[in-house]
Amino acid sequence: MTTPAPAPDPQAALRLRDLAGPAIVRRAMWLLACHSGDEERIAAARADALPPIRDLIDSQLAAGLISPDDHAKRMTALESDDATPQDGGAW
């Protein structure tokens, strides 16, 4: 059974909009690095991408767009050592 999402917060929705752009761009850079096959480049791109993606996932929860269970699943997938840009659900 999943936990229902919290009630939407209009202020959180505004923050979500501001965080989406950087998270999407950093994820794209991470994906490009993965295609290059250069391990150093992949590690650097991943390190750059994780903070804005985490912030975006947290904001989705605060805005009531995802449930606490979905939040936990996305964060767990994102934090895994073998995470790829496709992990973590729809950020």
Side-chain angles (χ1 to χ4, degrees):
M1 186 168 130
T2 62
T3 307
D9 174 6
Q11 291 300 326
L14 290 175
R15 179 164 162 71
L16 179 66
R17 185 194 70 195
D18 293 340
L19 293 173
I24 291 167
V25 169
R26 297 278 175 86
R27 179 184 175 270
M29 296 302 293
W30 183 14
L31 184 60
L32 287 172
C34 288
H35 288 299
S36 77
D38 180 348
E39 293 299 322
E40 273 186 36
R41 186 173 172 203
I42 294 169
R46 181 178 190 261
D48 285 343
L50 290 183
I53 293 170
R54 277 189 215 106
D55 291 345
L56 181 59
I57 294 170
D58 289 341
S59 291
Q60 288 173 335
L61 177 64
L65 299 175
I66 60 174
S67 71
D69 291 340
D70 289 336
H71 178 267
K73 288 176 190 173
R74 292 176 185 193
M75 292 302 265
T76 299
L78 188 62
E79 297 300 328
S80 126
D81 286 337
D82 59 346
T84 67
Q86 293 78 21
D87 293 329
W91 302 317

